[in-house]
Amino acid sequence: LRYPRSFPPTLFDTSTMLATAIVSALAFNGPATRTPVRSGSVQMMAKSQALPFLEVAPALDGSMAGDVGFDPLGFAKSDAQTLTWLREAEIKHGRVCMLATAGWIAVDQGVHFPGAAYEGLKSLTAHNAMVDSGNMYVMLMAVFMLEAVGGLALYEQSLGSGRAAGDYGFDPMGMAKDDTTLKVMQLKEIKNGRLAMVAFSGIVTQAALTGHDFPYTF
């Protein structure tokens, strides 16, 4: 193409020429092949009930007690065994913190081991007193035995025993009379356990900052 001297080619004209050439070349090519995609293979992830602006992993389908799709860090996207391990850890820490919260407050209210070594102790000072008296070793041995039992249960679970996370068959009061009652009690346990984890962190922090007993206010 020739342009008069008074009308040099502009950027728009050059772009138009290039686009025309490319389209002309593609016109001689055969149709591009595309891999067929079945409609069933594309699955839309549901939105989280707790965080509606985030998608929830398919594993969080509401079958676990207390499951409201709260997983901002995406832990539930891991494999099933890892998810079961995380669920076990949540239940275990919740149970420990429920006991710890009650025990911390009880000690500050005057409940402690007998003997002059424990007179006037508070929760903040109980640790050092246990170490000085040597009773900390006894407590550590008890914890070790409990952890050994729990570790054995987790090992059998990893081999496919079918054990549910947190299930040790411990129900001396027969609260789980049927499946409906069991689900209600499991929901109560996980909710109180989550609350206790937050509460214990707050209680310890307040007690350390204020140096006061229950209710740990300034």
Side-chain angles (χ1 to χ4, degrees):
L1 295 176
R2 294 177 178 272
Y3 289 88
R5 292 176 180 273
S6 58
F7 296 96
T10 63
L11 180 60
F12 175 79
D13 295 328
T14 305
S15 301
T16 304
M17 293 170 60
L18 291 174
T20 303
I22 293 173
V23 172
S24 299
L26 291 177
F28 292 96
N29 293 335
T33 58
R34 297 180 61 185
T35 303
V37 179
R38 292 178 296 178
S39 59
S41 62
V42 180
Q43 298 180 353
M44 298 297 293
M45 296 180 67
K47 294 296 183 180
S48 168
Q49 180 182 348
L51 302 172
F53 54 89
L54 293 180
E55 294 180 339
V56 64
L60 298 181
D61 55 1
S63 58
M64 294 189 298
D67 176 17
V68 291
F70 183 82
D71 185 31
L73 298 180
F75 290 126
K77 295 179 181 178
S78 54
D79 58 276
Q81 181 59 37
T82 303
L83 182 60
T84 303
W85 179 278
L86 293 174
R87 180 64 168 186
E88 180 87 23
E90 181 185 31
I91 295 175
K92 179 178 181 178
H93 284 83
R95 290 169 176 170
V96 169
C97 284
M98 283 189 282
L99 292 172
T101 301
W104 189 283
I105 297 174
V107 170
D108 281 347
Q109 296 300 306
V111 179
H112 49 74
F113 288 144
Y118 300 104
E119 288 294 334
L121 279 182
K122 299 299 179 184
S123 294
L124 276 177
T125 59
H127 176 273
N128 291 344
M130 290 281 288
V131 173
D132 294 338
S133 65
N135 289 333
M136 181 64 74
Y137 296 104
V138 178
M139 188 182 73
L140 289 178
M141 287 299 298
V143 172
F144 174 79
M145 289 187 290
L146 291 174
E147 289 294 331
V149 173
L152 179 61
L154 289 175
Y155 176 72
E156 293 178 348
Q157 185 184 61
S158 66
L159 298 179
S161 64
R163 168 185 172 273
D167 183 11
Y168 291 94
F170 183 78
D171 186 22
M173 301 182 68
M175 294 184 177
K177 300 177 181 179
D178 50 60
D179 290 341
T180 302
T181 306
L182 176 61
K183 290 181 179 179
V184 172
M185 299 305 295
Q186 287 176 337
L187 180 60
K188 290 180 178 180
E189 180 185 40
I190 196 65
K191 282 188 172 182
N192 283 278
R194 290 169 177 171
L195 177 61
M197 285 187 279
V198 177
F200 185 71
S201 300
I203 288 174
V204 174
T205 302
Q206 279 294 105
L209 290 177
T210 65
H212 296 165
D213 301 338
F214 183 81
Y216 311 107
T217 53
F218 287 101

